[in-house]
PDB file of all heavy atoms in Angstrom:
ATOM      1  N   HIS A 178      -3.945  -0.881 -25.579  1.00 98.00           N
ATOM      2  CA  HIS A 178      -4.065  -2.336 -25.627  1.00 98.00           C
ATOM      3  C   HIS A 178      -3.554  -2.966 -24.329  1.00 98.00           C
ATOM      4  O   HIS A 178      -4.134  -3.947 -23.828  1.00 98.00           O
ATOM      5  CB  HIS A 178      -3.302  -2.895 -26.826  1.00 98.00           C
ATOM      6  CG  HIS A 178      -3.968  -2.632 -28.144  1.00 98.00           C
ATOM      7  ND1 HIS A 178      -5.282  -2.933 -28.390  1.00 98.00           N
ATOM      8  CD2 HIS A 178      -3.478  -2.083 -29.301  1.00 98.00           C
ATOM      9  CE1 HIS A 178      -5.593  -2.597 -29.628  1.00 98.00           C
ATOM     10  NE2 HIS A 178      -4.519  -2.067 -30.206  1.00 98.00           N
ATOM     11  N   ALA A 179      -2.490  -2.424 -23.765  1.00 98.00           N
ATOM     12  CA  ALA A 179      -1.969  -2.932 -22.498  1.00 98.00           C
ATOM     13  C   ALA A 179      -2.997  -2.760 -21.391  1.00 98.00           C
ATOM     14  O   ALA A 179      -3.151  -3.644 -20.530  1.00 98.00           O
ATOM     15  CB  ALA A 179      -0.669  -2.211 -22.137  1.00 98.00           C
ATOM     16  N   VAL A 180      -3.711  -1.644 -21.391  1.00 98.00           N
ATOM     17  CA  VAL A 180      -4.759  -1.428 -20.394  1.00 98.00           C
ATOM     18  C   VAL A 180      -5.824  -2.517 -20.500  1.00 98.00           C
ATOM     19  O   VAL A 180      -6.268  -3.087 -19.490  1.00 98.00           O
ATOM     20  CB  VAL A 180      -5.391  -0.028 -20.556  1.00 98.00           C
ATOM     21  CG1 VAL A 180      -6.648   0.106 -19.688  1.00 98.00           C
ATOM     22  CG2 VAL A 180      -4.382   1.056 -20.176  1.00 98.00           C
ATOM     23  N   GLY A 181      -6.234  -2.829 -21.709  1.00 98.00           N
ATOM     24  CA  GLY A 181      -7.229  -3.882 -21.889  1.00 98.00           C
ATOM     25  C   GLY A 181      -6.756  -5.227 -21.383  1.00 98.00           C
ATOM     26  O   GLY A 181      -7.542  -6.006 -20.809  1.00 98.00           O
ATOM     27  N   MET A 182      -5.476  -5.512 -21.552  1.00 98.00           N
ATOM     28  CA  MET A 182      -4.947  -6.787 -21.058  1.00 98.00           C
ATOM     29  C   MET A 182      -4.753  -6.766 -19.548  1.00 98.00           C
ATOM     30  O   MET A 182      -4.784  -7.815 -18.896  1.00 98.00           O
ATOM     31  CB  MET A 182      -3.670  -7.140 -21.805  1.00 98.00           C
ATOM     32  CG  MET A 182      -3.990  -7.651 -23.202  1.00 98.00           C
ATOM     33  SD  MET A 182      -2.555  -8.130 -24.136  1.00 98.00           S
ATOM     34  CE  MET A 182      -1.866  -6.529 -24.530  1.00 98.00           C
ATOM     35  N   ALA A 183      -4.571  -5.576 -18.966  1.00 98.00           N
ATOM     36  CA  ALA A 183      -4.565  -5.476 -17.508  1.00 98.00           C
ATOM     37  C   ALA A 183      -5.961  -5.758 -16.954  1.00 98.00           C
ATOM     38  O   ALA A 183      -6.113  -6.446 -15.930  1.00 98.00           O
ATOM     39  CB  ALA A 183      -4.084  -4.093 -17.076  1.00 98.00           C
ATOM     40  N   VAL A 184      -6.993  -5.234 -17.634  1.00 98.00           N
ATOM     41  CA  VAL A 184      -8.369  -5.520 -17.221  1.00 98.00           C
ATOM     42  C   VAL A 184      -8.618  -7.021 -17.213  1.00 98.00           C
ATOM     43  O   VAL A 184      -9.281  -7.558 -16.323  1.00 98.00           O
ATOM     44  CB  VAL A 184      -9.376  -4.808 -18.148  1.00 98.00           C
ATOM     45  CG1 VAL A 184     -10.809  -5.267 -17.856  1.00 98.00           C
ATOM     46  CG2 VAL A 184      -9.264  -3.293 -17.995  1.00 98.00           C
ATOM     47  N   ALA A 185      -8.056  -7.724 -18.203  1.00 98.00           N
ATOM     48  CA  ALA A 185      -8.235  -9.174 -18.287  1.00 98.00           C
ATOM     49  C   ALA A 185      -7.650  -9.905 -17.086  1.00 98.00           C
ATOM     50  O   ALA A 185      -8.019 -11.057 -16.818  1.00 98.00           O
ATOM     51  CB  ALA A 185      -7.588  -9.698 -19.572  1.00 98.00           C
ATOM     52  N   GLN A 186      -6.770  -9.259 -16.347  1.00 98.00           N
ATOM     53  CA  GLN A 186      -6.088  -9.910 -15.222  1.00 98.00           C
ATOM     54  C   GLN A 186      -6.394  -9.271 -13.869  1.00 98.00           C
ATOM     55  O   GLN A 186      -5.878  -9.726 -12.843  1.00 98.00           O
ATOM     56  CB  GLN A 186      -4.576  -9.848 -15.455  1.00 98.00           C
ATOM     57  CG  GLN A 186      -4.128 -10.470 -16.770  1.00 98.00           C
ATOM     58  CD  GLN A 186      -2.657 -10.229 -17.010  1.00 98.00           C
ATOM     59  OE1 GLN A 186      -1.803 -10.995 -16.565  1.00 98.00           O
ATOM     60  NE2 GLN A 186      -2.340  -9.143 -17.701  1.00 98.00           N
ATOM     61  N   ALA A 187      -7.211  -8.221 -13.843  1.00 98.00           N
ATOM     62  CA  ALA A 187      -7.493  -7.520 -12.596  1.00 98.00           C
ATOM     63  C   ALA A 187      -8.262  -8.424 -11.639  1.00 98.00           C
ATOM     64  O   ALA A 187      -9.264  -9.027 -12.009  1.00 98.00           O
ATOM     65  CB  ALA A 187      -8.292  -6.249 -12.874  1.00 98.00           C
ATOM     66  N   ALA A 188      -7.788  -8.512 -10.391  1.00 97.00           N
ATOM     67  CA  ALA A 188      -8.397  -9.450  -9.449  1.00 97.00           C
ATOM     68  C   ALA A 188      -8.032  -9.060  -8.028  1.00 97.00           C
ATOM     69  O   ALA A 188      -7.304  -8.099  -7.791  1.00 97.00           O
ATOM     70  CB  ALA A 188      -7.935 -10.876  -9.753  1.00 97.00           C
ATOM     71  N   GLY A 189      -8.540  -9.847  -7.083  1.00 98.00           N
ATOM     72  CA  GLY A 189      -8.210  -9.662  -5.672  1.00 98.00           C
ATOM     73  C   GLY A 189      -9.440  -9.439  -4.827  1.00 98.00           C
ATOM     74  O   GLY A 189     -10.253  -8.565  -5.096  1.00 98.00           O
ATOM     75  N   THR A 190      -9.592 -10.228  -3.764  1.00 97.00           N
ATOM     76  CA  THR A 190     -10.755 -10.136  -2.895  1.00 97.00           C
ATOM     77  C   THR A 190     -10.353  -9.793  -1.466  1.00 97.00           C
ATOM     78  O   THR A 190      -9.321 -10.264  -0.960  1.00 97.00           O
ATOM     79  CB  THR A 190     -11.550 -11.453  -2.882  1.00 97.00           C
ATOM     80  OG1 THR A 190     -12.543 -11.397  -1.858  1.00 97.00           O
ATOM     81  CG2 THR A 190     -10.653 -12.662  -2.603  1.00 97.00           C
ATOM     82  N   ARG A 191     -11.194  -8.992  -0.796  1.00 95.00           N
ATOM     83  CA  ARG A 191     -10.941  -8.653   0.607  1.00 95.00           C
ATOM     84  C   ARG A 191     -11.104  -9.867   1.510  1.00 95.00           C
ATOM     85  O   ARG A 191     -10.628  -9.854   2.649  1.00 95.00           O
ATOM     86  CB  ARG A 191     -11.873  -7.532   1.055  1.00 95.00           C
ATOM     87  CG  ARG A 191     -11.522  -6.189   0.452  1.00 95.00           C
ATOM     88  CD  ARG A 191     -12.170  -5.040   1.219  1.00 95.00           C
ATOM     89  NE  ARG A 191     -13.607  -4.991   1.033  1.00 95.00           N
ATOM     90  CZ  ARG A 191     -14.505  -5.258   1.980  1.00 95.00           C
ATOM     91  NH1 ARG A 191     -14.117  -5.633   3.184  1.00 95.00           N
ATOM     92  NH2 ARG A 191     -15.799  -5.167   1.738  1.00 95.00           N
ATOM     93  N   ALA A 192     -11.775 -10.903   1.020  1.00 95.00           N
ATOM     94  CA  ALA A 192     -11.921 -12.113   1.822  1.00 95.00           C
ATOM     95  C   ALA A 192     -10.574 -12.749   2.142  1.00 95.00           C
ATOM     96  O   ALA A 192     -10.455 -13.515   3.097  1.00 95.00           O
ATOM     97  CB  ALA A 192     -12.819 -13.123   1.103  1.00 95.00           C
ATOM     98  N   ASN A 193      -9.546 -12.418   1.370  1.00 96.00           N
ATOM     99  CA  ASN A 193      -8.214 -12.977   1.593  1.00 96.00           C
ATOM    100  C   ASN A 193      -7.392 -12.191   2.606  1.00 96.00           C
ATOM    101  O   ASN A 193      -6.242 -12.561   2.883  1.00 96.00           O
ATOM    102  CB  ASN A 193      -7.445 -13.050   0.274  1.00 96.00           C
ATOM    103  CG  ASN A 193      -7.806 -14.281  -0.536  1.00 96.00           C
ATOM    104  OD1 ASN A 193      -8.101 -15.330   0.033  1.00 96.00           O
ATOM    105  ND2 ASN A 193      -7.793 -14.163  -1.856  1.00 96.00           N
ATOM    106  N   PHE A 194      -7.923 -11.106   3.145  1.00 92.00           N
ATOM    107  CA  PHE A 194      -7.172 -10.333   4.134  1.00 92.00           C
ATOM    108  C   PHE A 194      -6.863 -11.217   5.347  1.00 92.00           C
ATOM    109  O   PHE A 194      -7.713 -11.953   5.831  1.00 92.00           O
ATOM    110  CB  PHE A 194      -7.976  -9.110   4.600  1.00 92.00           C
ATOM    111  CG  PHE A 194      -8.049  -7.996   3.582  1.00 92.00           C
ATOM    112  CD1 PHE A 194      -7.668  -8.185   2.265  1.00 92.00           C
ATOM    113  CD2 PHE A 194      -8.513  -6.743   3.951  1.00 92.00           C
ATOM    114  CE1 PHE A 194      -7.733  -7.165   1.330  1.00 92.00           C
ATOM    115  CE2 PHE A 194      -8.591  -5.706   3.029  1.00 92.00           C
ATOM    116  CZ  PHE A 194      -8.205  -5.920   1.721  1.00 92.00           C
ATOM    117  N   GLY A 195      -5.631 -11.120   5.813  1.00 87.00           N
ATOM    118  CA  GLY A 195      -5.211 -11.940   6.938  1.00 87.00           C
ATOM    119  C   GLY A 195      -4.663 -13.289   6.523  1.00 87.00           C
ATOM    120  O   GLY A 195      -4.448 -14.158   7.375  1.00 87.00           O
ATOM    121  N   SER A 196      -4.403 -13.461   5.223  1.00 94.00           N
ATOM    122  CA  SER A 196      -3.818 -14.710   4.722  1.00 94.00           C
ATOM    123  C   SER A 196      -2.721 -14.384   3.722  1.00 94.00           C
ATOM    124  O   SER A 196      -2.569 -13.236   3.290  1.00 94.00           O
ATOM    125  CB  SER A 196      -4.889 -15.576   4.049  1.00 94.00           C
ATOM    126  OG  SER A 196      -5.251 -15.022   2.794  1.00 94.00           O
ATOM    127  N   ASP A 197      -1.958 -15.400   3.323  1.00 96.00           N
ATOM    128  CA  ASP A 197      -0.909 -15.210   2.317  1.00 96.00           C
ATOM    129  C   ASP A 197      -1.476 -14.633   1.017  1.00 96.00           C
ATOM    130  O   ASP A 197      -0.779 -13.911   0.297  1.00 96.00           O
ATOM    131  CB  ASP A 197      -0.247 -16.555   1.980  1.00 96.00           C
ATOM    132  CG  ASP A 197       0.605 -17.105   3.105  1.00 96.00           C
ATOM    133  OD1 ASP A 197       0.829 -16.384   4.090  1.00 96.00           O
ATOM    134  OD2 ASP A 197       1.044 -18.264   2.988  1.00 96.00           O
ATOM    135  N   ALA A 198      -2.721 -14.947   0.726  1.00 97.00           N
ATOM    136  CA  ALA A 198      -3.287 -14.551  -0.561  1.00 97.00           C
ATOM    137  C   ALA A 198      -3.407 -13.042  -0.709  1.00 97.00           C
ATOM    138  O   ALA A 198      -3.437 -12.538  -1.835  1.00 97.00           O
ATOM    139  CB  ALA A 198      -4.653 -15.206  -0.763  1.00 97.00           C
ATOM    140  N   LYS A 199      -3.494 -12.291   0.384  1.00 96.00           N
ATOM    141  CA  LYS A 199      -3.570 -10.834   0.253  1.00 96.00           C
ATOM    142  C   LYS A 199      -2.286 -10.304  -0.387  1.00 96.00           C
ATOM    143  O   LYS A 199      -2.335  -9.501  -1.327  1.00 96.00           O
ATOM    144  CB  LYS A 199      -3.785 -10.159   1.600  1.00 96.00           C
ATOM    145  CG  LYS A 199      -3.904  -8.622   1.479  1.00 96.00           C
ATOM    146  CD  LYS A 199      -4.230  -7.985   2.813  1.00 96.00           C
ATOM    147  CE  LYS A 199      -4.564  -6.502   2.642  1.00 96.00           C
ATOM    148  NZ  LYS A 199      -3.391  -5.653   2.518  1.00 96.00           N
ATOM    149  N   SER A 200      -1.134 -10.732   0.110  1.00 97.00           N
ATOM    150  CA  SER A 200       0.108 -10.262  -0.487  1.00 97.00           C
ATOM    151  C   SER A 200       0.324 -10.871  -1.870  1.00 97.00           C
ATOM    152  O   SER A 200       0.935 -10.242  -2.747  1.00 97.00           O
ATOM    153  CB  SER A 200       1.305 -10.541   0.428  1.00 97.00           C
ATOM    154  OG  SER A 200       1.357 -11.890   0.818  1.00 97.00           O
ATOM    155  N   PHE A 201      -0.190 -12.092  -2.090  1.00 98.00           N
ATOM    156  CA  PHE A 201      -0.157 -12.650  -3.452  1.00 98.00           C
ATOM    157  C   PHE A 201      -0.851 -11.714  -4.431  1.00 98.00           C
ATOM    158  O   PHE A 201      -0.388 -11.504  -5.562  1.00 98.00           O
ATOM    159  CB  PHE A 201      -0.825 -14.027  -3.495  1.00 98.00           C
ATOM    160  CG  PHE A 201      -1.199 -14.453  -4.893  1.00 98.00           C
ATOM    161  CD1 PHE A 201      -0.246 -15.018  -5.727  1.00 98.00           C
ATOM    162  CD2 PHE A 201      -2.480 -14.234  -5.388  1.00 98.00           C
ATOM    163  CE1 PHE A 201      -0.579 -15.372  -7.036  1.00 98.00           C
ATOM    164  CE2 PHE A 201      -2.810 -14.584  -6.689  1.00 98.00           C
ATOM    165  CZ  PHE A 201      -1.857 -15.159  -7.520  1.00 98.00           C
ATOM    166  N   GLN A 202      -1.989 -11.147  -4.022  1.00 98.00           N
ATOM    167  CA  GLN A 202      -2.761 -10.289  -4.919  1.00 98.00           C
ATOM    168  C   GLN A 202      -1.957  -9.062  -5.343  1.00 98.00           C
ATOM    169  O   GLN A 202      -2.038  -8.626  -6.494  1.00 98.00           O
ATOM    170  CB  GLN A 202      -4.088  -9.908  -4.243  1.00 98.00           C
ATOM    171  CG  GLN A 202      -5.027 -11.111  -4.165  1.00 98.00           C
ATOM    172  CD  GLN A 202      -6.213 -10.977  -3.239  1.00 98.00           C
ATOM    173  OE1 GLN A 202      -6.987 -11.908  -3.088  1.00 98.00           O
ATOM    174  NE2 GLN A 202      -6.370  -9.837  -2.580  1.00 98.00           N
ATOM    175  N   ALA A 203      -1.157  -8.513  -4.423  1.00 98.00           N
ATOM    176  CA  ALA A 203      -0.288  -7.390  -4.777  1.00 98.00           C
ATOM    177  C   ALA A 203       0.816  -7.845  -5.722  1.00 98.00           C
ATOM    178  O   ALA A 203       1.135  -7.166  -6.710  1.00 98.00           O
ATOM    179  CB  ALA A 203       0.313  -6.774  -3.515  1.00 98.00           C
ATOM    180  N   GLY A 204       1.421  -8.993  -5.433  1.00 98.00           N
ATOM    181  CA  GLY A 204       2.461  -9.514  -6.319  1.00 98.00           C
ATOM    182  C   GLY A 204       1.931  -9.822  -7.698  1.00 98.00           C
ATOM    183  O   GLY A 204       2.572  -9.514  -8.713  1.00 98.00           O
ATOM    184  N   HIS A 205       0.745 -10.407  -7.759  1.00 98.00           N
ATOM    185  CA  HIS A 205       0.125 -10.724  -9.048  1.00 98.00           C
ATOM    186  C   HIS A 205      -0.102  -9.457  -9.868  1.00 98.00           C
ATOM    187  O   HIS A 205       0.138  -9.446 -11.092  1.00 98.00           O
ATOM    188  CB  HIS A 205      -1.197 -11.447  -8.833  1.00 98.00           C
ATOM    189  CG  HIS A 205      -2.054 -11.517 -10.054  1.00 98.00           C
ATOM    190  ND1 HIS A 205      -1.796 -12.371 -11.101  1.00 98.00           N
ATOM    191  CD2 HIS A 205      -3.160 -10.816 -10.418  1.00 98.00           C
ATOM    192  CE1 HIS A 205      -2.701 -12.195 -12.052  1.00 98.00           C
ATOM    193  NE2 HIS A 205      -3.541 -11.255 -11.658  1.00 98.00           N
TER     194      HIS A 205
END
Side-chain angles (χ1 to χ4, degrees):
H178 287 309
V180 170
M182 284 182 286
V184 171
Q186 303 173 87
T190 170
R191 288 197 290 111
N193 278 327
F194 286 13
S196 73
D197 290 351
K199 181 175 189 280
S200 53
F201 162 82
Q202 289 166 182
H205 166 75

